[in-house]
Amino acid sequence: MIACSEVWGKEKPQMDNSNVYLPLLANLADKWYVTGNAFTPKNLQLDDFRLFDLGVTDLDADNTLDLFTANHSARQSFLLNNGQGEFGENMLTPLGLDQMLLFPGLEDSSDVPAFTSPGLYVYWRDSILVFHAHQIMGIAPILGSATFYPEIEVNAGSSFDFNLTEQTLPNDEEVVTRLDFTVSGDGEMLVTPLPVPSVGSPIVFVFDTAVDLNNIFIGDAAIIPNDHTFQIQLKDRHGMAWHDYNNDGQLDVYMSRGGNRGLSDIYPVELTIDEFYLNGQPQFTPVDTTSLGFVKDGCAARQVGWVDYNNDNLLDLYIVCARGEPNQLYHQAVNGQFTNVAATAKLALRDDGHFAWLDVDDDRDMDMFWAGTGDYRIYVNELGTFIRNDIIQVDNRAQKITLADYDNDGDPDLFAASSIDSYLFQNQGGVLTAVAPESVGLPQSALTANWVDYDNDGLIDLHTIPDGLYQQTANHMFQATNLLQLQTVALTPKEARASWFDANGDGKRDAVASTFLEAANIDGSTTSEWFSGYFHNVVDTDNNWLTIKLIGRQGNTEAIGGTVVVKTEHGEYRQQVGWSEGARYSQGQYHLYFGLGVNDRVDQITVVWPDGTDQIIEDVSANQFLIIEQPLQ
């Protein structure tokens, strides 16, 4: 428990998009976190407009963890760690991960371009396509057209003449809308694709050949097109699964995409398929996912994760589809091709939800926990076919699943965070039992949750938003600390994301958190926005620690599914690669963190590699980042 606390809140983003933290008085703040003497807030240039997911991974293979976000069709963040837990500018464009490589900076945002040259600027701002004419009185009128798949709403200034033409598509349900326009003076035309937001639909531009392309600027970066006819489209990115697919030592990334509000089936396949990027350092290179065997099939993809479900040491991919479409399980063959085997594996689930992979019954294969729209289930792996076992019916759905052996009995437990009724699932000999969180001192409701031994005493604690950290006591009960508790006066938290990782290599796990806050206006409407915070762990403790990274054989160098058991004088601690994950829809945090308390040495480390082989390491010093490579056969 903390005796006193200091409160930190986030000001509105500055002109350079940085987040500035200033101390606020409790009776004046409308948004703040309690940091006490255990956490220090740090600056972070995180793009959280339209945030969908927040996670960590090692983008540049330097063994320090970096930050990434998924933001639907808005600008994402890819922030590199300098090794000291400090993050610089957004590397989205230098890494080659813009949603449109032809027009970096096209993504939706709350920003506007720098209007430095005369011409027509076209950019997304808050789900509206803005046509902004700047100082064009001295140039010829600009004539062009833009063709939208959905219907649109147009609000134009007097300098814009426009005409709309609609054509019904062959399915007799959707329309194509052509917007012809002439720009003769300064001003703006605002175009809103319907239904809002529909920023991920393709738009074809055709400018009159007499128009000087040096007067046309696309996106916030004001990129000049290289042709009078071109197409723009944002990707509606949801989940990101990181894995070294081509075995070159760099993490590649599979990006799941939404379904364009049900319109994907009217677009060409190449405009709807999920994305796959190979990490070439310094830039990523896109791969044609259709050539690898991936098929969209109407999947409005949400959560995505790698797993070796059939123990062949090749990672397969599981995707949640939502909207009544069956989930997909892509089996990877030895030639790197993928085939959807969800139906035969009995995992083609149609209800929306979240999954977590774990070896629930300790038989050395991966089972799947499913938090669905009305129940929780475990799918037990029997030689690559999954047997459904229902656990409990619920009236809500989970916002986040987090895994740990919190009671140190040798098997994985789960906490399913829900804004209505959260559940603790205790594992007893391979059988999961739902327990009311209040019975062990944990909160009934939470927008997100992460198991984390924040003080390295060997007892795993739980962080939730909005209630903060709950510290585990010796009898496996929990007590509130108020640390990182989100305090709001005029705002209501509606959603949250959080990840814990050792950002600066001191053995203490630091936190990054984003919360979607809503305020009620006088007229009865609401205003909402994401707010993010980054906190270094400075808790004063002499406890020891050990961080482990496994390097498996080619095909699964991340050792996803591998288990580590650390044995000390005072007990054993078990973790599985992937349990440290904080992202909700993504996957990329593969480090294992062990709080050792008073133990300054580890008697024995046992690694159970994903292929079932064991490795034992004796007498290891604490307080180090330890890399363990799987021995050659």
Side-chain angles (χ1 to χ4, degrees), residues 72-73 98-100 199-200 233-238 256-258 260 270-271 275 277:
H72 293 289
S73 292
D98 293 275
Q99 296 197 26
M100 270 210 75
V199 297
Q233 185 193 19
L234 299 176
K235 306 300 185 182
D236 192 16
R237 291 172 175 169
H238 286 167
S256 66
R257 296 177 57 195
N260 283 292
E270 63 271 15
L271 299 183
E275 301 173 275
Y277 284 81

Side-chain angles (χ1 to χ4, degrees), residues 112-349:
V112 298
F115 305 122
T116 56
S117 301
L120 179 64
Y121 292 76
V122 181
Y123 58 96
W124 287 104
R125 185 183 67 210
D126 199 9
S127 303
I128 296 173
L129 190 63
V130 179
F131 293 70
H132 181 96
H134 175 69
Q135 295 181 354
I136 69 170
M137 296 302 293
I139 63 178
I142 297 176
L143 284 73
S145 68
T147 301
F148 299 77
Y149 272 90
E151 297 176 291
I152 60 175
E153 180 179 282
V154 181
N155 184 3
S158 58
S159 297
F160 285 80
D161 290 327
F162 71 92
N163 182 64
L164 295 179
T165 305
E166 290 187 355
Q167 178 183 353
T168 303
L169 292 174
N171 64 6
D172 292 327
E173 295 180 1
E174 309 297 341
V175 299
V176 171
T177 304
R178 173 170 165 160
L179 168 67
D180 293 284
F181 57 86
T182 301
V183 190
S184 56
D186 290 359
E188 284 191 343
M189 177 171 64
L190 307 180
V191 180
T192 305
L194 303 176
V196 177
S198 295
V199 297
S201 300
I203 304 169
V204 177
F205 283 87
V206 179
F207 283 94
D208 189 273
T209 55
V211 173
D212 185 351
L213 291 180
N214 291 310
N215 297 133
I216 306 298
F217 307 97
I218 307 299
D220 283 353
I223 304 298
I224 297 173
N226 56 18
D227 197 288
H228 284 82
T229 299
F230 58 89
Q231 179 173 276
I232 66 172
Q233 185 193 19
L234 299 176
K235 306 300 185 182
D236 192 16
R237 291 172 175 169
H238 286 167
M240 299 192 182
W242 300 83
H243 156 55
D244 183 10
Y245 167 74
N246 58 355
N247 299 302
D248 66 351
Q250 309 285 343
L251 289 179
D252 312 304
V253 59
Y254 187 99
M255 301 183 184
S256 66
R257 296 177 57 195
N260 283 292
R261 293 190 168 270
L263 299 177
S264 291
D265 58 343
I266 70 173
Y267 303 146
V269 171
E270 63 271 15
L271 299 183
T272 65
I273 194 69
D274 291 350
E275 301 173 275
F276 200 6
Y277 284 81
L278 297 182
N279 189 345
Q281 284 296 317
Q283 284 198 324
F284 286 76
T285 302
V287 177
D288 179 11
T289 48
T290 57
S291 68
L292 295 179
F294 294 102
V295 181
K296 192 64 173 172
D297 273 347
C299 179
R302 300 293 196 269
Q303 186 183 3
V304 59
W306 295 102
V307 63
D308 181 8
Y309 82 95
N310 59 345
N311 291 344
D312 63 355
N313 208 52
L314 291 172
L315 289 184
D316 315 297
L317 195 71
Y318 193 66
I319 304 174
V320 175
C321 288
R323 293 184 179 170
E325 297 296 332
N327 292 352
Q328 299 174 340
L329 174 62
Y330 283 98
H331 168 256
Q332 184 180 176
V334 293
N335 62 357
Q337 292 289 303
F338 293 84
T339 304
N340 183 10
V341 297
T344 56
K346 307 299 183 184
L347 288 181
L349 315 182

Side-chain angles (χ1 to χ4, degrees), residues 1 76 124 164 210 243 324 441 457 492 563:
M1 300 292 291
Q76 301 163 256
W124 287 104
L164 295 179
H243 156 55
D457 66 351
T492 302
T563 300

